[in-house]
Amino acid sequence: MRQSSNTTLEISKTKMKYPLHITSEIGKLKTVLLHRPGKELENLIPEYLERLLFDDIPYLPTVQKEHDYFAGILKNRGIEVLYLDKLAAETLEDEKVRRQFIDQILSESGANPNGTYNILKDYLLSFPVEEIVHKVMAGVLKTEIAEEKKTHLYELMAGHYPFYLDPMPNLYFTRDPAAVIGEGLTINRMREEARRRESLFMQYIIKYHPRFAKFDIPVWLGRGERFPIEGGDELILSKDTIAIGVSSRTSAKAIENLAVQLFQRQGEIQRVVAVEIPKSRAFMHLDTVFTMVDFDKFTIHPAIQGPDGNMRIYILEKSEDPDQVNIRERNNLPAVLKEVLHLPEIDFIPCGGGDIIASAREQWNDGSNTLSIAPGVVVTYDRNYVSNEMLRNHGIEVIEIPSSELSRGRGGPRCMSMPILREDI
Ligand SMILES: NC(=O)NCCC[C@H](N)C(=O)O
């Protein structure tokens, strides 16, 4: 990638006005944002696991080793890996931005403006900027603040709850808080309280980081929206069609609002396909049950289709009134994909080979959650050996990564990556 003087980015034959560019799920991946799991995982304890959306406590040294392996695979394939903590620290170098960020994170964390707020603000500001970022991510324990600084009754009372600031253990799933569509992005209002502050990092990075700030990047939906949407539900099928899961995390209202915004402002997207999936913990986002791995190939967990293969699918398109959309109902996913991608056939590759036990077991550990790094080339977890074999049998190149600890957070390679730039296909 090189940057010319008129700030036009050029990647192979693709010319870009903005430093974000995603027009498919499968185009050659050039730049991706990751977060190396850190101390925030060490602040998980059994009592709060469910609320913090974990099923178990990963062993930090191993989870980091596995994550480094994942990042290494991507780097070896020539992909630029950006790290969330580094971008955030560079963004907060500016003192005014740093203070504003801390104010916002504290008020969103529910710190009392007259008491804990000031103590926490002074405490965070006393660290170098990289450490501020890591502290905000890891959470602040009540025991970290010196006793003599506590002046309010509720600060003096020992209290049962251990944190002033909750940890953000789900940060390594960079897919969800924000997602690039075309040359803009959604900075998401996340459904679960435990994850809601995560998208603040991306809001600041896009607005203030030197790599992005000068471009005035379009934000299709911001984090101040009323209705929840998460990146794991946002799939870019082609430059003119996106699919969005109607899931336990993403609401139909957010999808319609996004469609209106894209049709009014984005220029290329002609349709948004809303795909309903069962609202369950195992299937929290569309990408936990359905991902694109080649021009005409998709992984799918068979359990999202009814006994007759039917599902509830709606195609949203432009209407004459720019504030409205036309909606057509459909019920067959392969038929919809053939229609919107103009393909004669679609190849569905069932998670776990479609075996009732293997598919449920491997889906639980993200067997359908593949990260495409080029057409027909995917990164997957090694533990999902039945699904990986199926992918290979369908002509896909599968790059496996170790996954005994990473998988405990209930997300796979797609969830752990936020593509920033892909070549067009
Ligand atoms: N796109 C994804 O499916 N991300 C996985 C998120 C897992 C995380 N523990 C969560 O429950 O939000």
Side-chain angles (χ1 to χ4, degrees):
M1 185 177 74
R2 77 186 158 75
Q3 194 168 338
S4 66
S5 52
N6 67 357
T7 63
T8 299
L9 299 168
E10 201 176 301
I11 295 178
S12 299
K13 283 178 238 86
T14 310
K15 279 207 188 318
M16 284 161 240
K17 226 170 94 199
Y18 293 104
L20 309 180
H21 188 90
I22 301 288
T23 58
S24 78
E25 282 294 303
I26 59 172
K28 198 164 188 312
L29 185 59
K30 304 300 290 183
T31 303
V32 69
L33 176 74
L34 305 185
H35 172 65
R36 184 177 197 256
K39 279 257 157 57
E40 62 277 4
L41 292 185
E42 298 265 89
N43 276 336
L44 283 167
I45 54 172
E47 209 173 335
Y48 307 117
L49 278 184
E50 198 180 332
R51 184 165 61 76
L52 294 176
L53 309 171
F54 269 70
D55 299 302
D56 202 351
I57 302 169
Y59 174 48
L60 188 60
T62 305
V63 90
Q64 288 179 330
K65 214 186 289 167
E66 292 175 350
H67 195 273
D68 290 343
Y69 189 96
F70 175 46
I73 290 284
L74 301 177
K75 289 177 193 163
N76 286 341
R77 294 273 174 149
I79 298 163
E80 179 193 24
V81 172
L82 305 176
Y83 281 100
L84 183 68
D85 58 350
K86 187 160 183 287
L87 288 187
E90 288 163 356
T91 303
L92 302 186
E93 274 302 331
D94 182 294
E95 195 194 335
K96 208 167 135 228
V97 177
R98 181 157 74 241
R99 285 180 173 273
Q100 190 184 318
F101 175 83
I102 290 177
D103 274 340
Q104 203 166 342
I105 206 86
L106 289 181
S107 55
E108 291 191 21
S109 304
N112 182 312
N114 301 315
T116 323
Y117 186 100
N118 290 329
I119 296 179
L120 284 177
K121 188 169 174 176
D122 290 348
Y123 179 66
L124 288 171
L125 283 169
S126 71
F127 292 101
V129 68
E130 291 80 13
E131 263 180 78
I132 295 178
V133 171
H134 288 144
K135 284 248 165 255
V136 168
M137 290 176 164
V140 175
L141 281 157
K142 288 182 175 168
T143 51
E144 285 177 62
I145 306 288
E147 281 307 312
E148 63 272 16
K149 298 232 159 104
K150 300 178 182 170
T151 53
H152 291 273
L153 179 62
Y154 60 86
E155 292 161 359
L156 294 167
M157 308 289 293
H160 158 77
Y161 193 65
F163 298 106
Y164 279 138
L165 279 193
D166 273 358
M168 301 191 217
N170 292 289
L171 274 173
Y172 74 96
F173 301 116
T174 50
R175 178 67 60 165
D176 301 319
V180 179
I181 301 177
E183 297 188 328
L185 78 169
T186 60
I187 303 181
N188 296 332
R189 176 189 165 80
M190 303 191 75
R191 169 78 176 69
E192 299 292 335
E193 185 74 41
R195 299 200 65 181
R196 208 159 289 150
R197 294 169 303 158
E198 287 178 29
S199 54
L200 196 59
F201 287 108
M202 197 38 80
Q203 178 167 298
Y204 272 73
I205 289 167
I206 290 299
K207 200 158 172 207
Y208 299 113
H209 190 280
R211 180 172 174 138
F212 303 102
K214 56 181 176 276
F215 289 93
D216 197 16
I217 291 168
V219 177
W220 311 126
L221 282 185
R223 59 193 297 278
E225 289 291 321
R226 276 175 62 204
F227 306 109
I229 182 164
E230 300 193 358
D233 282 307
E234 301 175 51
L235 270 63
I236 316 296
L237 296 178
S238 71
K239 71 175 186 333
D240 61 22
T241 305
I242 62 172
I244 308 199
V246 187
S247 68
S248 56
R249 301 291 178 85
T250 293
S251 69
K253 285 180 178 159
I255 297 173
E256 191 167 324
N257 287 348
L258 176 59
V260 167
Q261 289 301 315
L262 291 172
F263 297 156
Q264 285 181 4
R265 298 162 57 207
Q266 197 263 353
E268 286 205 281
I269 307 261
Q270 302 299 318
R271 65 195 69 76
V272 173
V273 181
V275 181
E276 189 182 52
I277 59 170
K279 294 180 176 46
S280 77
R281 168 79 183 135
F283 306 170
M284 79 202 77
H285 298 114
L286 182 59
D287 71 358
T288 63
V289 284
F290 176 72
T291 53
M292 187 168 185
V293 296
D294 204 346
F295 294 98
D296 56 352
K297 294 181 182 146
F298 297 80
T299 63
I300 184 152
H301 181 40
I304 63 168
Q305 296 173 293
D308 46 6
N310 283 355
M311 304 171 67
R312 287 221 292 181
I313 301 168
Y314 295 89
I315 302 180
L316 282 58
E317 286 165 320
K318 267 188 195 174
S319 88
E320 279 176 15
D321 176 349
D323 294 329
Q324 303 281 330
V325 291
N326 288 332
I327 303 179
R328 291 186 285 137
E329 187 170 354
R330 291 284 184 273
N331 59 20
N332 184 281
L333 190 54
V336 168
L337 293 170
K338 279 195 245 177
E339 177 188 333
V340 300
L341 295 173
H342 316 292
L343 290 168
E345 284 309 322
I346 294 288
D347 188 7
F348 270 4
I349 306 172
C351 176
D355 173 78
I356 187 166
I357 296 295
S359 64
R361 182 187 70 234
E362 294 203 348
Q363 189 281 327
W364 178 244
N365 285 309
D366 287 280
S368 326
N369 188 264
T370 64
L371 170 66
S372 294
I373 60 169
V377 185
V378 296
V379 182
T380 64
Y381 279 161
D382 58 357
R383 63 190 305 151
N384 298 315
Y385 59 90
V386 181
S387 304
N388 291 342
E389 196 51 32
M390 280 302 284
L391 283 161
R392 291 190 177 104
N393 291 342
H394 285 249
I396 302 297
E397 182 187 346
V398 180
I399 307 162
E400 297 184 8
I401 60 167
S403 53
S404 75
E405 297 303 299
L406 283 172
S407 59
R408 290 178 198 257
R410 291 278 82 71
R414 189 182 189 276
C415 308
M416 294 192 297
S417 54
M418 179 198 177
I420 300 284
L421 290 168
R422 285 189 191 267
E423 283 180 12
D424 287 338
I425 48 174

